[in-house]
Amino acid sequence: MNGTDRFVALFIDADNAPASHVDVILNELASFGTVSIRRAYGNWKGDRLSSWEKLLHEYAIQPIQQFDLTKGKNATDIALVIDAMDALYSRRVDVFALVSSDSDFTPLATRLQADGKTVVGFGERKTPTPFVNACSKFLYLDMEAAPQENSSGSANTVSVRKWGVKELKSDTKLVTLLRNAVQAAEADDGWSPLGRVGSHIANQASFDSRNYGYKKLVDLFRASELFDLETREDKGVFLRDKRKAKGT
């Protein structure tokens, strides 16, 4: 099944997501398939969601009204989860997109993945790690990110500040993830094909090199300065941990 044959359901927690990057979200989801369901949840009677309200018609997003029935209780979360589960069982949906920085959606993402669905998350960098990790892929919509214009003049990508080599090397979790993936994909000659490394990372964790400011995974590996890179004719890029080359 190719991307054009897949159906995507977009569920937006408007109370906990920025409206400024909706074009970025839809552009990203276009690579997964047709976004056939587009819903945004919140209390549309107040002024708090005015930034979202201005975009609803432009992007064909259906507003779902949820009143603040009880202080401290989020009816929006419950309504979104119910509709997502309803779509899981009664609609043909291959990819679920959850837009929120709220960890309350962690069980939903986990449940959808358990049913074999791809779960794409969007949120700010403050999003709790459990929710990020529960998604198949998670893209940060950072305050430091600035929209970039395409050739037609419309903004459709997010440019995140590139992490420097010191920042990358000091992120123990990232370094461990990259090194383990390279080791797992290692061939008999001691080199690991980039495609196999990328697949291993995707199967293991919610990861996107763009969250570190690098459009492609190979650029992130190169920027870390922790690996040797070798391009082989008709075979692509291969990686090797520099520690292995030194015999350590």
Side-chain angles (χ1 to χ4, degrees):
M1 180 183 293
N2 59 47
T4 57
D5 295 326
R6 306 177 80 194
F7 289 94
V8 182
L10 171 61
F11 297 95
I12 302 169
D13 175 14
D15 292 325
N16 290 290
S20 56
H21 294 307
V22 62
D23 49 351
V24 176
I25 294 169
L26 290 173
N27 180 71
E28 176 71 16
L29 294 179
S31 65
F32 288 90
T34 303
V35 186
S36 55
I37 298 176
R38 306 181 183 192
R39 297 175 184 171
Y41 298 75
N43 187 350
W44 303 97
K45 297 295 184 180
D47 298 327
R48 192 156 53 93
L49 300 182
S50 58
S51 59
W52 274 109
E53 192 171 356
K54 297 174 183 177
L55 302 173
L56 297 177
H57 292 300
E58 181 179 355
Y59 293 97
I61 298 173
Q62 178 186 5
I64 305 297
Q65 172 64 29
Q66 289 299 315
F67 293 100
D68 300 325
L69 301 176
T70 306
K71 186 176 181 180
K73 300 295 184 181
N74 197 337
T76 296
D77 291 4
I78 298 174
L80 191 157
V81 170
I82 290 174
D83 282 0
M85 293 303 295
D86 179 64
L88 173 65
Y89 289 115
S90 63
R91 303 282 292 273
R92 178 191 166 186
V93 177
D94 306 292
V95 180
F96 285 80
L98 306 177
V99 184
S100 180
S101 298
D102 192 341
S103 64
D104 288 349
F105 294 107
T106 302
L108 173 61
T110 302
R111 177 64 184 83
L112 293 173
Q113 282 219 73
D115 217 61
K117 304 301 182 181
T118 299
V119 181
V120 184
F122 298 88
E124 297 175 289
R125 200 166 288 271
K126 67 180 181 180
T127 306
T129 302
F131 179 41
V132 174
N133 290 341
C135 297
S136 311
K137 177 188 284 272
F138 195 95
L139 185 63
Y140 290 114
L141 303 173
D142 271 318
M143 294 302 293
E144 65 177 308
Q148 293 182 320
E149 290 189 354
N150 59 21
S151 58
S152 65
S154 61
N156 65 356
T157 61
V158 167
S159 176
V160 177
R161 177 186 61 82
K162 287 186 177 180
W163 287 36
V165 60
K166 290 184 178 180
E167 290 177 288
L168 294 173
K169 286 183 176 181
S170 64
D171 190 327
T172 305
K173 183 178 179 181
L174 172 65
V175 171
T176 300
L177 176 68
L178 298 181
R179 280 178 167 162
N180 286 347
V182 169
Q183 181 179 0
E186 185 178 300
D188 293 338
D189 62 357
W191 289 80
S192 308
L194 178 63
R196 192 181 303 170
V197 172
S199 297
H200 185 84
I201 292 175
N203 290 336
Q204 181 180 352
S206 172
F207 183 84
D208 196 312
S209 61
R210 290 173 296 177
N211 290 329
Y212 299 90
Y214 296 91
K215 186 176 181 180
K216 297 180 179 180
L217 181 60
V218 65
D219 296 329
L220 176 62
F221 271 105
R222 184 176 290 110
S224 73
E225 297 184 0
L226 295 171
F227 303 88
D228 293 318
L229 282 78
E230 179 179 282
T231 301
R232 301 178 183 178
E233 188 176 357
D234 298 328
K235 293 185 178 180
V237 178
F238 286 73
L239 304 164
R240 181 177 63 180
D241 193 327
K242 285 186 175 181
R243 298 177 305 173
K244 186 178 182 66
K246 294 177 182 179
T248 59

